[in-house]
Amino acid sequence: MRKEATWLKKFLRILVIILITLLALFPFYILSLLAFTPSSMNFSKELILLPQSYFENFGVAWEKAKMGRSIINSLIITLGSVAVIVSFASMAGYAIARVNNKFNRIIYYLILGCMMIPGIINTVPLYTLMIKIGGINTHWAMILVCAANALPFSVFLFTGFIRGLPINIEEAAIIDGCTKIGSFWRIVFPILKPVTSAVIIINGLNIWNNYAQAIFFLQKQSMRTIPLAISMFYQQYGAKWHLMAAAAMIGLAPAVVIFIIFQKYFIKGITAGSVKG
């Protein structure tokens, strides 16, 4: 009787997982069907059962939405922002975790407080500041804005993860003549791979999909990122869903690839960085 109950529980768990997976994949399935639908064909029941292999939509979307330039802009901003975030957040997290004094505790609580402030609230004063320093329509300004918005949560994750690491290996390195900065970069930072991967995935996807601030700071057509390009493309070709779906799939592909590369460290980094803190 117990064996049957155990088997039934396992079966129900597997069934629930399958249903949730299918539910999550269904929108992507519809998006794929639309992207591969010829403009002359209606989206019907026959098409849902028999998907077509039609790639012309992707070529049209790539050319009309200028996706090539938009992908380059998104890559520059995303990679630059992630590099700044990982570098500064890891160092700040290390300092807060290893130097437990009143000043660092105050800084840490201020950082936690900043996590409660939505980034969009700062857009107006940031826009005024960017005009004064010549940051409108520049990659470096967008990199700094995205990095500043993501730093509080990233510092929180790094701090929690580093607090769970033994300090013995760092002390041994310092005794051998290594400086604190050297021990961090040579000893500690390589161990931070799980939480670093989590920070890269979370912030990379958010920055790649950033629209609310990009529309203010990147106004030239040559500076548009993927979300802006798709938005402008939608305004021009909104009724042509097959082209819109193709453009969306092009913009989605790099983010999916990055997630697949780092996903094995994602859950481990999130869990360790949040629980141990």
Side-chain angles (χ1 to χ4, degrees), residues 2-263:
R2 290 182 179 178
K3 290 183 179 180
E4 292 180 357
T6 303
W7 180 87
L8 181 60
K9 288 181 180 179
K10 290 182 179 180
F11 174 77
L12 290 176
R13 288 176 185 173
I14 295 173
L15 182 61
V16 169
I17 292 173
I18 293 174
L19 290 175
I20 292 174
T21 303
L22 292 175
L23 183 63
L25 291 177
F26 185 72
F28 297 99
Y29 176 67
I30 297 299
L31 181 67
S32 301
L33 290 179
L34 285 170
F36 288 100
T37 302
S39 57
S40 59
M41 181 178 293
N42 294 324
F43 188 71
S44 60
K45 294 180 180 180
E46 290 77 11
L47 178 61
I48 293 177
L49 297 175
L50 298 172
Q52 303 293 309
S53 296
Y54 189 79
F55 295 93
E56 185 178 336
N57 293 336
F58 293 90
V60 175
W62 181 276
E63 181 182 355
K64 298 293 184 181
K66 295 180 173 56
M67 298 295 286
R69 183 61 193 174
S70 299
I71 288 177
I72 292 174
N73 290 332
S74 291
L75 282 174
I76 293 173
I77 293 171
T78 302
L79 294 177
S81 301
V82 167
V84 172
I85 293 166
V86 171
S87 300
F88 286 89
S90 60
M91 290 188 290
Y94 178 73
I96 293 172
R98 290 295 187 247
V99 184
N100 188 20
N101 55 32
K102 186 176 181 180
F103 176 78
N104 276 359
R105 286 195 295 271
I106 293 174
I107 294 297
Y108 183 63
Y109 293 137
L110 287 175
I111 290 174
L112 294 182
C114 291
M115 291 171 55
M116 305 176 188
I117 303 175
I120 193 65
I121 291 179
N122 302 321
T123 301
V124 174
L126 274 176
Y127 184 78
T128 304
L129 176 63
M130 289 301 170
I131 292 177
K132 292 181 179 179
I133 64 177
I136 302 298
N137 294 314
T138 60
H139 290 131
W140 64 265
M142 195 63 190
I143 288 172
L144 293 180
V145 169
C146 293
N149 288 333
L151 275 173
F153 183 63
S154 302
V155 172
F156 168 72
L157 289 180
F158 274 111
T159 302
F161 192 88
I162 294 173
R163 281 175 176 170
L165 297 178
I167 199 173
N168 300 339
I169 51 177
E170 302 162 48
E171 293 176 341
I174 293 173
I175 291 173
D176 290 338
C178 191
T179 62
K180 279 190 173 293
I181 296 177
S183 66
F184 169 72
W185 288 112
R186 296 178 184 178
I187 307 298
V188 178
F189 189 75
I191 306 175
L192 303 180
K193 186 181 291 184
V195 67
T196 301
S197 299
V199 168
I200 290 174
I201 290 177
I202 294 172
N203 295 311
L205 294 178
N206 288 337
I207 295 168
W208 183 268
N209 296 320
N210 186 302
Y211 175 83
Q213 292 170 324
I215 196 172
F216 286 99
F217 303 128
L218 304 175
Q219 300 171 359
K220 288 184 179 179
Q221 183 176 359
S222 60
M223 295 298 298
R224 288 175 184 167
T225 56
I226 289 293
L228 292 180
I230 293 177
S231 175
M232 299 302 169
F233 187 66
Y234 174 76
Q235 294 178 22
Q236 188 174 2
Y237 299 96
K240 299 182 179 180
W241 294 107
H242 55 290
L243 296 180
M244 283 301 304
M249 286 194 69
I250 293 173
L252 185 66
V256 172
V257 171
I258 292 175
F259 183 81
I260 291 174
I261 293 173
F262 291 99
Q263 57 87 24

